[in-house]
Amino acid sequence: MQRARNLIVCEHCDSVYRRRSLARGEVADCVVCGAVLERHQWLGVDAQFALIFAALIVFVIANVSPIVTLGLSGMKAATTLWGAVIAMWNDGAQIVAFLSAMTLFFFPLGQILIFGWVLWFARKGIRAPGFPLAMSALVRVKPWSMIEVFMLGTLVAVVKAHTYFDVVPGAGIWAFGFLTLLITVFSSLDPRELWDLTVETKA
């Protein structure tokens, strides 16, 4: 078992290597196909859990707070992410509304909750119930979380709208910006290390 822990297998070409300790910022690449085998984890499990918990709090704020407030001739209108999704749905853009809800709410929330679930148990050195399924889900959900794309589109829209309206950024847009930074940080982490840091509990 200990010998198996010292080995690492490339998930792309199945080449087997002996694992070694990585220095800060160092990345181990497969010499056969060039895929990333392992990255140095600069955050411990407790720090990762704190990061995920902070992301969850910011995620809630981002979704309940107005994104922007538009003003014209003394009239003001504010909207949240879900207000925009509902408006698109009512305007006949159901596909766009569905994709927006999935990529900006459900997939990011799923990524945060699943990562938080496995880290909660990993802090005790054990694997969470359903650990293999959760790890697989993390890999599948990660590419569909597109908050950074939403932030870029929102900034472009705000700049253009400023020509015609008085635009006041709301707490939601700032929360989404901070959430983008948090997601970027924990997306750079390699959750595969949790296989080595945890052990299976006996029923």
Side-chain angles (χ1 to χ4, degrees):
M1 184 66 177
Q2 185 63 33
R3 181 177 298 178
R5 286 178 177 270
N6 292 331
L7 300 178
I8 185 170
V9 180
C10 177
E11 60 186 24
H12 297 280
C13 67
D14 294 331
S15 299
V16 181
Y17 300 90
R18 187 178 300 277
R19 178 181 275 110
R20 67 178 181 83
S21 299
L22 299 177
R24 184 179 180 86
E26 195 173 7
V27 179
D29 296 326
C30 176
V31 298
V32 177
C33 66
V36 175
L37 297 173
E38 194 174 22
R39 299 178 185 271
H40 175 263
Q41 296 291 80
W42 56 282
L43 286 177
V45 173
D46 287 334
Q48 292 181 44
F49 182 78
L51 188 69
I52 290 296
F53 188 72
L56 180 60
I57 295 175
V58 176
F59 182 83
V60 172
I61 296 174
N63 280 276
V64 300
S65 302
I67 300 174
V68 292
T69 299
L70 301 178
L72 180 63
S73 301
M75 300 178 61
K76 293 183 178 181
T79 185
T80 62
L81 171 63
W82 279 104
V85 170
I86 294 173
M88 286 187 291
W89 184 277
N90 292 334
D91 288 341
Q94 284 84 4
I95 295 179
V96 177
F98 174 77
L99 292 176
S100 299
M102 294 301 294
T103 57
L104 300 178
F105 183 82
F106 291 106
F107 285 130
L109 179 60
Q111 186 180 5
I112 292 172
L113 293 180
I114 295 171
F115 211 169
W117 171 256
V118 296
L119 287 173
W120 174 264
F121 289 89
R123 293 166 65 239
K124 306 174 185 177
I126 60 177
R127 292 178 183 172
F131 184 81
L133 183 61
M135 296 296 285
S136 177
L138 275 176
V139 175
R140 297 177 183 277
V141 169
K142 183 178 178 180
W144 293 99
S145 180
M146 300 183 180
I147 290 180
E148 64 278 5
V149 178
F150 166 74
M151 275 299 303
L152 180 61
T154 302
L155 290 176
V156 172
V158 167
V159 171
K160 290 185 176 181
H162 188 70
T163 306
Y164 307 99
F165 304 96
D166 295 326
V167 181
V168 180
I173 194 67
W174 298 108
F176 270 115
F178 189 44
L179 182 62
T180 300
L181 295 178
L182 291 175
I183 289 182
T184 301
V185 172
F186 74 71
S187 292
S188 67
L189 302 174
D190 190 352
R192 293 177 298 181
E193 187 189 37
L194 297 176
W195 287 98
D196 302 317
L197 297 177
T198 59
V199 295
E200 190 73 41
T201 55
K202 296 182 179 180

